[in-house]
Amino acid sequence: MPRLPPLPGAALLFLLTLPACSTPPRQPAPRPLLLQRCPAVTACPLPALAPTTNQQLADSWQQHRAALESCAAQIDHIIHCQQNTP
């Protein structure tokens, strides 16, 4: 029985059907763990004033009011943070 010469194309086709070594698919980089911490509570200093005229009294009232509003905003921010932190 005569033997047929090997066909290079058939061998190539056979090799293509075999599983090949390949790199595994890239996995996404792990996401960093973010810990949400609420800001630390700090003191709200009020300016020390000693008005001697009505104009200074009016100005000091405005300064105290602005300082109290700033302090209230800090407190509101901390309360909001604590309510939304699991």
Side-chain angles (χ1 to χ4, degrees):
M1 181 147 81
R3 265 184 121 187
L4 294 173
L7 299 172
L12 221 54
L13 184 63
F14 176 73
L15 289 176
L16 288 175
T17 61
L18 294 176
C21 295
S22 63
T23 57
R26 289 190 97 155
Q27 295 186 0
R31 295 177 56 189
L33 179 63
L34 298 177
L35 296 177
Q36 180 181 7
R37 292 190 176 168
C38 298
V41 178
T42 59
C44 295
L46 294 176
L49 303 170
T52 56
T53 65
N54 284 340
Q55 184 60 44
Q56 289 176 350
L57 180 62
D59 292 341
S60 67
W61 181 78
Q62 291 292 336
Q63 290 175 356
H64 269 74
R65 184 174 177 183
L68 288 173
E69 288 175 356
S70 173
C71 187
Q74 289 177 24
I75 292 170
D76 289 343
H77 177 70
I78 293 170
I79 290 172
H80 179 72
C81 177
Q82 288 175 348
Q83 289 175 346
N84 293 330
T85 301

